[in-house]
Amino acid sequence: MRMIKIFDTTLRDGEQSAGINLNVEEKLQIARQLARLNVDIIEAGFAIVSPGDFASVQTIAREIKGVTVCSLARAVKVDIERAWEALKEAENPLIHTFIATSDIHMKYKLNKSPDQVVAMAVEAVKYARGLCPNVEFSAEDATRSDWDFLCRIFGEVIKAGATVINVPDTVGYAMPSEFARLIRYLKENTPGIDKVSLSVHCHNDLGLAVANSLAAVENGADQVECTINGLGERAGNAALEEVVMAIKTRAENFKADTRIVTEQIYRSSRLVSTLTGKPVQHNKAIVGSNAFAHEAGIHQDGMLKNRMTYEIMTPQSIGLSQSNIVLGKHSGRHAVKNRLLELGYNLDELEIEQIYQRFIELADKKKEVTDSDLEALVRNEFQAVADRFELEYLHVSTGNSTIPTATIRLKVDETPVQEASCGDGPVDAVYKAIDRITKLKVKLDEYNIKAVTSGEDALGEVTVKVRENGNAYIGRGLSTDIIEASALAYLHAINKIIRASNK
Ligand SMILES: [Zn+2]
C-alpha cells in the first residue's frame, strides 16, 4: 500500500476565498482539529500577505506539533524570508514557493520570458533550501502550461533542492483523463522526479477537483492538496473528506491509503463550517446532513436486512456516532468530562468546571443535552475573544400589532449601560439598541440562523457578518432563545472589531 500524503490548505486557500475571515484564535482551533485528524501538512497561511496572516502561521508553527507546518511564498526573496521568519519555530517547517508557468500568466501577469521564470524559480528554491530543509515548488496554472516546459522547470528546481513538486490545476480546467496523462508524462520526463514527492492541487470550477486529484493518485501522485468542506478560491478546492473516503472505500482500486483518522472527519467539517460561517450543503458527499440518511422505503427495508445493500461506508467511519446516550441535568461532572474526552476535547479541571456550569444552565432549559450541544458550548466558552461589551439584560416586545421595541443593558468595560430602540422587527430593534451603546457604524451584511441541535428546545445558532470601516467580521451566538442568540452573535462580531482596532 502506498501512503498518500494529505496536505490541508483550509487555512490558506480556504481562508482566502470570498467571505471568509478567521482570526488567529480561530485558525489555531482549526489547526488543532487538523492535527487530531492527522493530516500530514497544514498550510497555515501566506505569511507576507498581512500581519494577521504572519501571526497565524507563527502561532500554529509554535503550538502544533507532530505535523508539518507550511507557509506560502511567491518566488521572491522577501516572501521567502517572511515565510521562514514565521515558520522557524515549527517542529517540521515547509516553505511552499510558486511561480506561474503558463504562457498566458508569464506574458500578461509576470511580464517575463520562460527563461527568466526558470531562473527566478531556481533562485527562489535555492534560497529557501538555504533556510529550510523542506521546500515545495508549485508551477501555478500548470494545467495550461506547456508540458515540456513543466518538465524543464521541475527538473531545474529539483536540482536546486526542491523536495516536493506540486502540479496545480489553478483554474479548474483539467479533465481527469488528461490530468492523469499529464502526471504520467511528468513522471516519465522530468529529470530527478523519483527523488521527490509529486503533489497535486486541484480546483473545482468544473466540479472535477476530487476526480482530478484521484486520477493523479492512480497515476503516481504522492500527495493531494485539499480543504475541509472543499472550501477555497471561487468554486473551491478538492474536498479532503471526499478524497480520503474515496481512497479508503476503494483501497483495492488505489492500492493506497492515507494516515487520516477518518473518525475525526465529521467533527472537522462541523468546526470549519461553524467558524467560517459557511454551511455545508445537505447533499454534500460524506459530510452533508443527508449523506447517510436513507429515506426511500425500499432502501430502508434493504438496510434493515443488511446495511451493505445501500451503504458503502458507515457513518461511524467519519465519526458520526450512532450511540445516542443522552446527557441531562442529572449527569455529573464525570459524565460530562468523559463525553468531552470522547469528542476529542481534553480540557483541564478548570475548563471542565467552566463548561460544567454552562452545561447545568443548559440542562435546566432543555432536558437532553446532545453531543452537538456540548461541542457548541465548548466553542462558545473558549472563543477567546476579550469582550468589551457583554450582554447583561435583554427585553423585547413584539407582535403583529405593536412596534417591535428592545431594551438592552450591556456591561461596557464592567460598567452597565442601558438603551432602548424600535425597529422593523425584534432583531433589528435589538441591533439598533446595541448600536446606540457601542456608537460604532456597523453594517449588517449577512444574518443566518440555524438549529444546531434537534427538538423544540434546540439550541439556535446565529451567524452574522458585519462590516465596519471596510473590514468584515463574523460573529456567532448560541442560545435556546433566538433573539438572545442574535444579540450574542452581533456582540461577538463587535468585540472582534474592538479588538482589531486596539491592535
Ligand atoms: Zn489554490
Side-chain angles (χ1 to χ4, degrees):
M1 283 272 197
R2 290 193 301 143
M3 269 295 166
I4 305 299
K5 282 190 186 161
I6 297 296
F7 175 117
D8 181 278
T9 183
T10 307
L11 296 174
R12 202 276 299 165
D13 217 326
E15 210 264 348
Q16 83 188 34
S17 63
I20 295 184
N21 195 322
L22 297 168
N23 64 30
V24 179
E25 286 80 8
E26 292 163 333
K27 285 189 187 169
L28 186 59
Q29 258 191 72
I30 292 176
R32 286 207 178 98
Q33 180 57 31
L34 291 173
R36 282 196 282 268
L37 184 63
N38 210 27
V39 303
D40 296 278
I41 299 116
I42 295 175
E43 187 163 50
F46 194 167
I48 198 150
V49 166
S50 71
D53 260 63
F54 181 88
S56 306
V57 177
Q58 191 175 48
T59 310
I60 291 167
R62 278 179 185 155
E63 305 229 350
I64 308 294
K65 302 298 170 197
V67 47
T68 298
V69 179
C70 164
S71 169
L72 191 63
R74 285 168 303 180
V76 290
K77 222 171 160 182
V78 279
D79 276 40
I80 294 169
E81 265 164 9
R82 197 80 178 131
W84 177 243
E85 191 58 32
L87 286 173
K88 62 185 181 193
E89 290 171 62
E91 199 172 69
N92 200 3
L94 171 74
I95 295 178
H96 177 193
T97 188
F98 72 98
I99 194 162
T101 51
S102 61
D103 289 343
I104 187 168
H105 275 235
M106 289 194 287
K107 187 168 171 197
Y108 294 101
K109 193 180 81 172
L110 299 174
N111 203 10
K112 298 250 186 289
S113 71
D115 287 344
Q116 285 174 309
V117 167
V118 173
M120 281 179 76
V122 166
E123 202 182 328
V125 168
K126 268 192 188 142
Y127 185 63
R129 260 312 290 270
L131 302 168
C132 183
N134 299 305
V135 175
E136 171 168 328
F137 173 78
S138 280
E140 190 187 5
D141 205 16
T143 47
R144 292 193 300 168
S145 303
D146 178 76
W147 288 14
D148 289 322
F149 181 60
L150 283 178
C151 295
R152 174 182 163 206
I153 197 167
F154 284 153
E156 292 297 327
V157 297
I158 292 169
K159 255 195 278 169
T163 52
V164 186
I165 291 300
N166 183 39
V167 187
D169 184 22
T170 307
V171 291
Y173 180 73
M175 291 292 127
S177 57
E178 171 193 38
F179 198 55
R181 273 203 312 280
L182 171 60
I183 297 301
R184 276 204 306 276
Y185 192 84
L186 292 173
K187 279 190 82 83
E188 280 158 17
N189 296 288
T190 305
I193 197 144
D194 44 339
K195 288 183 294 192
V196 300
S197 287
L198 181 59
S199 168
V200 293
H201 176 112
C202 298
H203 276 270
N204 207 30
D205 297 70
L206 293 171
L208 294 170
V210 170
N212 283 332
S213 305
L214 294 173
V217 168
E218 284 174 333
N219 287 276
D222 310 292
Q223 170 175 301
V224 176
E225 304 197 354
C226 45
T227 59
I228 303 290
N229 298 339
L231 289 179
E233 281 277 22
R234 307 182 309 278
N237 288 62
L240 180 148
E241 60 277 8
E242 295 178 23
V243 170
V244 168
M245 291 311 288
I247 293 175
K248 186 182 164 98
T249 306
R250 300 300 308 276
E252 88 297 344
N253 173 72
F254 291 99
K255 304 200 173 33
D257 201 359
T258 69
R259 289 183 192 83
I260 295 297
V261 178
T262 61
E263 290 77 9
Q264 292 286 342
I265 284 179
Y266 185 69
R267 183 162 312 131
S268 308
S269 164
R270 284 292 299 267
L271 180 70
V272 168
S273 166
T274 308
L275 292 180
T276 57
K278 299 286 168 202
V280 173
Q281 89 196 42
H282 291 208
N283 58 337
K284 163 88 173 60
I286 318 294
V287 291
S289 57
N290 285 351
F292 290 94
H294 301 271
E295 195 64 41
I298 188 163
H299 288 203
Q300 288 182 351
D301 184 54
M303 287 283 292
L304 289 172
K305 289 172 178 150
N306 182 342
R307 300 193 70 86
M308 297 288 278
T309 51
Y310 287 98
E311 207 167 73
I312 58 168
M313 52 196 162
T314 64
Q316 290 87 344
S317 65
I318 64 152
L320 261 171
S321 79
Q322 289 290 75
S323 75
N324 257 331
I325 300 165
V326 183
L327 293 174
K329 63 178 168 189
H330 301 295
S331 309
R333 277 176 187 72
H334 194 67
V336 172
K337 185 184 169 177
N338 265 350
R339 180 57 64 87
L340 283 167
L341 261 177
E342 279 171 22
L343 292 173
Y345 296 98
N346 194 358
L347 307 178
D348 64 32
E349 287 307 314
L350 208 72
E351 289 168 330
I352 296 280
E353 192 52 39
Q354 236 173 305
I355 290 296
Y356 187 69
Q357 292 313 321
R358 300 292 308 275
F359 166 82
I360 291 295
E361 287 165 26
L362 181 66
D364 241 5
K365 290 185 204 162
K366 73 187 294 247
K367 49 187 183 302
E368 294 178 355
V369 177
T370 62
D371 287 353
S372 3
D373 283 334
L374 214 52
E375 295 199 293
L377 282 184
V378 173
R379 287 199 298 270
N380 209 39
E381 196 64 22
F382 302 122
Q383 269 164 354
V385 173
D387 291 344
R388 171 152 187 216
F389 298 104
E390 242 181 88
L391 183 66
E392 271 203 346
Y393 167 88
L394 165 74
H395 178 86
V396 174
S397 77
T398 188
N400 59 3
S401 60
T402 57
I403 297 170
T405 313
T407 311
I408 292 267
R409 189 165 67 227
L410 299 184
K411 213 157 74 180
V412 185
D413 296 333
E414 303 301 310
T415 321
V417 183
Q418 190 162 306
E419 269 293 352
S421 178
C422 311
D424 293 333
V427 174
D428 185 49
V430 166
Y431 286 6
K432 283 188 170 136
I434 292 176
D435 285 344
R436 286 189 172 178
I437 299 177
T438 64
K439 299 189 174 62
L440 286 170
K441 281 202 169 40
V442 173
K443 188 177 164 293
L444 182 66
D445 270 1
E446 277 174 34
Y447 174 93
N448 280 299
I449 181 160
K450 66 169 193 221
V452 283
T453 51
S454 48
E456 53 194 24
D457 50 2
L459 275 179
E461 185 173 64
V462 171
T463 311
V464 295
K465 192 166 111 193
V466 304
R467 205 165 276 282
E468 194 257 355
N469 229 340
N471 296 316
Y473 300 87
I474 288 168
R476 282 175 302 280
L478 195 69
S479 172
T480 50
D481 175 322
I482 57 170
I483 305 290
E484 189 184 348
S486 304
L488 291 171
Y490 197 59
L491 286 169
H492 182 215
I494 283 172
N495 283 317
K496 284 186 180 174
I497 296 175
I498 299 294
R499 239 167 55 110
S501 65
N502 284 347
K503 265 185 185 162

